[in-house]
Amino acid sequence: MWKIKSLSQMTSLEFYQCLKLRINTFVVEQSRIYPELDDDDLHALHVYHLNDQNQVDAYARVFLVDDHIVFGRVVVAKSARHTGLATALMHHIMEACRQLGSKPIVILAQEQVVGYYKHFGFKTSGEPFIHESTPHVKMTLEDY
């Protein structure tokens, strides 16, 4: 079951499961040390999927920054990868973006998933750079 909620609409268990998935993937699996929990969580729309066991197995957050929309922390649980869940997550991310208005989307994509985002019409801008200990590329999408 897909959900798009603000932090105030989420249960504490839902938010805990989202954070656990993010930390297990970005900090533990990818061996990155950075502040996973930040103030963007407070004003983001949280997009997530609950599987048949009522566990979060896909997640992203979407929020406004000045004149554009940002999404990030895009993750699918290791056990649910290569099942089509990532594509479904992207469709729900785009739905959340539309809820925030018709503003350009600007993301910082990990270098290894740039090709994936290009399939959805994102274009790279600039050279790769290190963000939170990992190579990233700035990408934008104007029309969606």
Side-chain angles (χ1 to χ4, degrees), residues 16-108:
Y16 169 81
Q17 287 185 16
C18 292
L19 288 177
K20 185 174 181 182
L21 176 59
R22 285 168 37 180
I23 291 167
N24 283 345
T25 302
F26 299 125
V27 177
V28 177
E29 183 181 327
Q30 294 183 359
S31 300
R32 295 166 56 209
I33 298 172
Y34 70 101
E36 174 47 38
L37 184 62
D38 61 30
D39 291 345
D40 292 329
D41 287 310
L42 299 173
H43 61 271
L45 287 176
H46 300 271
V47 180
Y48 54 102
H49 182 260
L50 294 170
N51 64 20
D52 294 338
Q53 292 77 42
N54 215 32
Q55 298 292 312
V56 173
D57 59 1
Y59 171 87
R61 65 182 185 181
V62 180
F63 52 94
L64 289 169
V65 174
D66 302 322
D67 61 346
H68 62 276
I69 297 169
V70 174
F71 68 79
R73 304 297 203 261
V74 178
V75 60
V76 173
K78 201 173 198 175
S79 61
R81 293 178 192 159
H82 308 290
T83 65
L85 195 57
T87 300
L89 175 59
M90 274 303 298
H91 290 295
H92 286 86
I93 289 169
M94 299 310 294
E95 179 184 326
C97 289
R98 285 188 286 277
Q99 287 180 21
L100 295 177
S102 57
K103 299 178 186 296
I105 301 171
V106 178
I107 62 172
L108 304 180

